[in-house]
Amino acid sequence: MYLNKAKFITSMSGYNEMAIDELPQIAVVGKSNVGKSSFINCITNNSKLCKVGQTPGKTRLINFFMIEDSFFLVDLPGYGYAKRSKKELLEWSSMIEGYLRDSSRLLYIVLLVDIRHKPTQDDKDMLSWILHFEKQPILICTKAEKLAKTRRVPTCNEIGKALGYEGKALPIDSCSNYGRDEIVGIIRDLILT
């Protein structure tokens, strides 16, 4: 199962609600190099939809992808480590905060964390931000292929607990598509029903 129809629409350096169709939005956030682009490519079954970078900080703008002609998947710049100037990192932070604050169409935020690492303070701050702006978080643990299958769900539960996340954290392996069907099913239930 995947989201069959997906296409890139536009990029923005600052959120302008008037420039986008009046469709619901789901944003994808996470630390630099957590696998946001790979996640989007995986759930849309389109390896060329998002450019995947080998170095942190590839995404520098707010990127909008129309999914199923029904909603936007919004790819935000990564937070945390990136080999960029302090000025550029502050601009990214301001861009993300502005988007979270100003988008009246943003319904859910997919927070990606790397399953191999304990959540950082940046991850905790992002979840707090999401809740502060009264958006609904969905916690996804990326790079599940790096752990034995028996450790994936327990590790996701540990990460969720460390973040203070009250929902079910879900693992995904963007290489083998492990976890994709469950995540796509949740997105479909939230937006397309």
Side-chain angles (χ1 to χ4, degrees), residues 137-182:
I138 302 167
L139 181 60
I140 307 291
C141 300
T142 62
K143 305 187 182 186
E145 70 276 9
K146 305 293 185 181
L147 291 184
K149 286 185 180 179
T150 58
R151 289 295 311 141
R152 293 174 184 177
V153 171
T155 302
C156 283
N157 292 338
E158 291 165 13
I159 289 171
K161 186 175 180 181
L163 280 171
Y165 178 69
E166 295 181 7
K168 178 182 176 186
L170 303 166
I172 191 165
D173 169 2
S174 296
C175 299
S176 73
N177 299 325
Y178 170 89
R180 179 183 70 188
D181 289 353
E182 183 175 7

Side-chain angles (χ1 to χ4, degrees), residues 94-126:
S94 177
M95 183 190 324
I96 294 169
E97 181 179 6
Y99 170 71
L100 294 178
R101 181 189 61 235
D102 297 338
S103 176
S104 65
R105 300 173 192 135
L106 176 60
L107 302 179
Y108 302 95
I109 301 177
V110 176
L111 174 59
L112 300 181
V113 295
D114 188 325
I115 200 168
R116 301 170 297 173
H117 307 293
K118 291 181 180 178
T120 64
Q121 188 60 50
D122 286 336
D123 295 320
K124 293 174 184 176
D125 291 344
M126 179 53 72

Side-chain angles (χ1 to χ4, degrees), residues 9-10 12 14-23 25 64 72 99 102-105:
I9 299 298
T10 191
M12 296 182 187
Y15 183 62
N16 177 359
E17 194 155 76
M18 300 302 291
I20 317 258
D21 289 340
E22 294 185 10
L23 292 175
Q25 298 171 14
F64 290 80
F72 286 108
Y99 170 71
D102 297 338
S103 176
S104 65
R105 300 173 192 135

